Amino acid sequence: SEAAVELALLEQLGGLGYSIEREEDIGPDGNRPERESHDEVVLKKRFEDAVARLNPGLPLEARQDAVRRVMQSELPSLLEENRRLHKLITEGVDVEYYANDGTLTAGKVALIDFERPEQNDWLAVSQFVVINGQNNRRPDVVVFVNGLPLGVIELKAPGSAGAHLLGAFNQLQTYKKQIPALFNTNALLVTSDGIAARVGSLSADLERFMPWRTTDGRDVAPKGTPELHTLIEGVFEPNRLVALMRDFTVFGDTGSGLVKILAGYHQFHAVRHAVAETVRASQPGGDRK
């Protein structure tokens, strides 16, 4: 069943270091609410706590300015807004503040620690309800880092893989139209029927949702084997997810408009292995051929 697929997925994310919560507990009507209303998509306290933790040398007003710039939409196009926020998330937010001696000082507020992923707040929430006007939607699993919704996973019950993956993809397209705020900070989308699984960017069409067949880049799962477990570990393991966001995601202008491009697993691992070999060779005693 779809519920069994979701439970297995949440258990796997828990094993990767994510906290697991349910809408019924932390939603606005829950017993430990983390949002004031269903139209809020950022878990503000987690976000503010993370910004404070990652930027201890910056004053409160600088941190508050950075939080405000992330939480307030500035551009009417979802993809343009996503590009704006991707830059802030991966590069930090430029701020100005008055130092103790009264001089106007420039600084940069980090939103995610890319060098030490364990310093971030990793969370997966099941059945996350978002209400926008008359639209009431409930994505299956939303992945948060430091309170920001970065991943949306839509599941279907195991069955006819092609039809069910199409159904999950179409559901994500509906969400993008009806509850767009959830996708302002989105890094990636996942569709799965529990066996077949695909990952794609915010702008990807169905053909651009691709499998992720390896976790470490060495052992590649053969076609026809269950894909979801490999995709989740290969993409959502914290070190890999932050690398995928910062170093393997680009935006480009095409004849049909702006697109967001996510590297495939083969590109991701080929580059990472090449970098690792270069670093190894540069170490004392390394192979300098």
Side-chain angles (χ1 to χ4, degrees):
S1 68
E2 185 177 316
V5 173
E6 181 180 307
L7 180 60
L9 170 65
L10 293 170
E11 289 178 351
Q12 186 182 4
L13 288 171
L16 293 174
Y18 290 75
S19 299
I20 306 300
E21 293 285 4
R22 301 183 182 279
E23 170 71 16
E24 61 196 46
D25 294 319
I26 68 166
D29 303 324
N31 51 28
R32 292 180 285 106
E34 295 198 25
R35 296 183 287 161
E36 292 184 2
S37 64
H38 285 105
D39 62 349
E40 295 180 15
V41 296
V42 173
L43 304 180
K44 189 176 181 183
K45 185 176 188 308
R46 287 180 186 260
F47 184 36
E48 291 176 335
D49 288 350
V51 169
R53 186 174 66 253
L54 299 181
N55 303 275
L58 292 178
L60 175 62
E61 61 268 21
R63 302 197 305 263
Q64 288 177 331
D65 183 38
V67 168
R68 178 190 56 78
R69 287 176 59 188
V70 171
M71 295 188 64
Q72 290 183 355
S73 295
E74 294 184 6
L75 300 171
S77 160
L78 173 57
L79 203 52
E80 292 279 5
E81 181 71 359
N82 186 253
R83 178 167 63 174
R84 178 184 78 85
L85 291 169
H86 176 83
K87 182 178 176 64
L88 297 184
I89 290 169
T90 56
E91 299 179 12
V93 183
D94 291 316
V95 294
E96 289 186 339
Y97 60 93
Y98 287 98
N100 292 334
D101 62 1
T103 59
L104 187 61
T105 304
K108 192 177 283 285
V109 176
L111 305 181
I112 289 178
D113 192 328
F114 288 89
E115 304 304 325
R116 300 173 300 164
E118 70 277 3
Q119 297 298 314
N120 300 307
D121 179 310
W122 299 88
L123 172 71
V125 181
S126 70
Q127 303 298 312
F128 187 75
V129 174
V130 182
I131 298 177
N132 176 35
Q134 300 300 310
N135 298 310
N136 184 329
R137 293 294 175 180
R138 187 188 295 262
D140 290 318
V141 177
V142 178
V143 171
F144 293 83
V145 180
N146 295 344
L148 300 175
L150 299 185
V152 178
I153 303 172
E154 190 65 15
L155 305 170
K156 297 296 181 185
S160 176
H164 286 194
L165 287 178
L166 175 60
F169 171 83
N170 288 337
Q171 193 73 57
L172 289 173
Q173 306 316 301
T174 297
Y175 294 159
K176 282 161 52 178
K177 292 187 179 101
Q178 296 188 351
I179 50 171
L182 180 63
F183 300 90
N184 284 345
T185 57
N186 182 264
L188 48 84
L189 306 170
V190 172
T191 62
S192 179
D193 68 347
I195 300 173
R198 300 289 184 271
V199 59
S201 76
L202 190 61
S203 68
D205 57 22
L206 183 63
E207 288 70 32
R208 293 290 181 183
F209 270 67
M210 306 296 288
W212 195 279
R213 300 191 190 282
T214 182
T215 58
D216 59 7
R218 296 179 176 85
D219 297 323
V220 177
K223 291 183 179 180
T225 56
E227 298 171 345
L228 181 58
H229 190 278
T230 299
L231 185 150
I232 294 301
E233 184 173 344
V235 171
F236 287 96
E237 187 277 323
N239 287 279
R240 285 189 279 267
L241 182 57
V242 295
L244 191 61
M245 288 173 55
R246 184 181 66 179
D247 304 323
F248 295 89
T249 301
V250 297
F251 290 81
D253 290 299
T254 69
S256 57
L258 182 65
V259 295
K260 185 177 186 179
I261 303 168
L262 202 64
Y265 69 88
H266 50 293
Q267 299 160 322
F268 178 81
H269 287 289
V271 172
R272 295 195 88 195
H273 286 163
V275 170
E277 284 299 306
T278 301
V279 171
R280 183 188 64 79
S282 70
Q283 300 300 316
D287 184 356
R288 295 178 180 271
K289 289 191 294 183

